[in-house]
Amino acid sequence: MNYIQSTDWRHVVLVGGVTGGLYYFGVLLALNFVNPVEKIAFFWPSNAIAAAVLLFAPRRNWPVILGAVVVGYLAARGPAGGLPPAVLAGFSVANLFECAVVALVFGAAWRGDVRLATMPRFLPYLLIACVIASTLSGVIGAFVVSQILQGATFLRAFVVWFAGDLSGLVLVLPFVVAFLVPDEGARRLALPEGNLRGGFIVGLVLAAAGTFLWLPEGWNPWLFTPYLILGALLWVAYRVNLIWTIIGAFCAGLVEIVATFIGFGLFRFEGMSITDEVVLMKAAIAVMTAGLLLFAASCAAAEEE
């Protein structure tokens, strides 16, 4: 955290380099989780990582950080091919804009301290910033796609972009921020007294989500598993704390993404294209994760009063 907030040029370069490197690997990860038809990524975590750094970095450091993000994006996406240079440039602008808008909107909406103790109160503003940023960047991205790529329509491109970026921000950004905000040492992951057994049970339920890998052929565990996970996470939100809810929601979202990728997704319906399934999965993750985190934040805020 001290390095991110420092204005020493060596620290600024270091933070920019690390952010660019993480963005690069995030794009590579996304490129390996794409549907085989329209090459749409199942998961886009990179913007959330960059936005989290911008939330805590002084404004004077932003040009270096955003420049490193552009380098990371082009270094990962360029060699993959399939996109004209004009589209790559437009996508770079849309991604930079999204990361900056998250930090700018949140900074304008929340004037209090950004600490672990205040997270239940500032988290709703962070989620609102994610929605606004995804909407605006979606407009830019959809405009680029509809104007340059033949056969693409603005509305469809916007829906695909918006759902993908919003799900990535809502799922990853609170998780990253939870481990960047200042806290009082071990209090970050401390479980309330009496909840250790419950936390262990919740862990078992979440781990059981991976059992679909060993079920007999033809069985789809996602007819029942998501409801078990959601019930467990609601219990965590109500009885444990916000940080563990964020961790659980992040893990559950990753499980659903992997399940959809290998063909066990909850949102596969007869006659639906793979692209529509991916978009529906992303929208569901964004809505369910945001709702769960808002519930957890309200429970945590109520306990403080």
Side-chain angles (χ1 to χ4, degrees):
M1 174 60 72
N2 291 335
Y3 284 95
I4 296 176
Q5 296 177 332
S6 172
T7 56
D8 185 289
W9 69 268
R10 291 165 295 186
H11 295 165
V12 175
V13 171
L14 175 63
V15 171
V18 172
T19 304
L22 292 174
Y23 199 96
Y24 169 82
F25 287 111
V27 174
L28 285 184
L29 175 65
L31 293 176
N32 284 284
F33 278 87
V34 297
N35 77 47
V37 181
E38 296 185 14
K39 305 299 182 182
I40 296 175
F42 282 66
F43 185 45
W44 190 260
S46 298
N47 287 358
I49 296 171
V53 175
L54 293 180
L55 286 175
F56 298 99
R59 297 280 175 85
R60 61 185 294 184
N61 298 357
W62 283 21
V64 174
I65 296 171
L66 292 175
V69 166
V70 173
V71 173
Y73 175 76
L74 294 178
R77 188 63 186 87
L83 293 178
V87 175
L88 276 176
F91 284 1
S92 297
V93 172
N95 286 319
L96 286 184
F97 188 72
E98 180 177 300
C99 298
V101 167
V102 170
L104 289 172
V105 171
F106 176 75
W110 175 257
R111 296 295 185 178
D113 293 334
V114 180
R115 298 181 293 108
L116 185 66
T118 60
M119 195 167 188
R121 295 193 294 276
F122 74 67
L123 184 59
Y125 296 99
L126 186 61
L127 295 176
I128 292 173
C130 291
V131 174
I132 295 174
S134 299
T135 301
L136 296 178
S137 70
V139 171
I140 298 174
F143 176 80
V144 172
V145 170
S146 61
Q147 293 298 312
I148 299 178
L149 297 183
Q150 186 176 5
T153 63
F154 178 86
L155 181 59
R156 180 168 177 79
F158 173 79
V159 171
V160 171
W161 185 290
F162 174 76
D165 280 33
L166 182 60
S167 62
L169 286 176
V170 170
L171 192 64
V172 179
L173 184 57
F175 180 81
V176 177
V177 169
F179 290 93
L180 286 181
V181 293
D183 77 308
E184 295 75 35
R187 198 173 74 86
R188 188 188 304 275
L189 296 178
L191 288 168
E193 185 177 354
N195 279 325
L196 286 174
R197 184 190 306 175
F200 178 71
I201 293 174
V202 170
L204 289 180
V205 172
L206 292 177
T211 56
F212 62 82
L213 295 174
W214 293 275
L215 284 176
E217 185 176 356
W219 284 47
N220 186 355
W222 290 101
L223 296 175
F224 58 87
T225 305
Y227 304 104
L228 296 178
I229 296 176
L230 181 60
L233 291 176
L234 286 171
W235 184 90
V236 172
Y238 182 68
R239 294 291 297 168
V240 185
N241 57 39
L242 177 59
I243 299 300
W244 279 105
T245 305
I246 291 172
I247 294 172
F250 176 76
C251 295
L254 292 184
V255 169
E256 174 57 32
I257 290 168
V258 173
T260 302
F261 180 71
I262 64 177
F264 280 96
L266 177 64
F267 305 101
R268 171 163 292 185
F269 302 102
E270 186 176 354
M272 177 178 285
S273 68
I274 297 178
T275 299
D276 290 339
E277 179 188 355
V278 173
V279 172
L280 183 58
M281 178 267 294
K282 291 176 178 179
I285 286 177
V287 172
M288 294 178 68
T289 302
L292 181 65
L293 296 187
L294 289 174
F295 174 68
S298 65
C299 290
E303 287 184 2
E304 295 177 0
E305 297 178 354

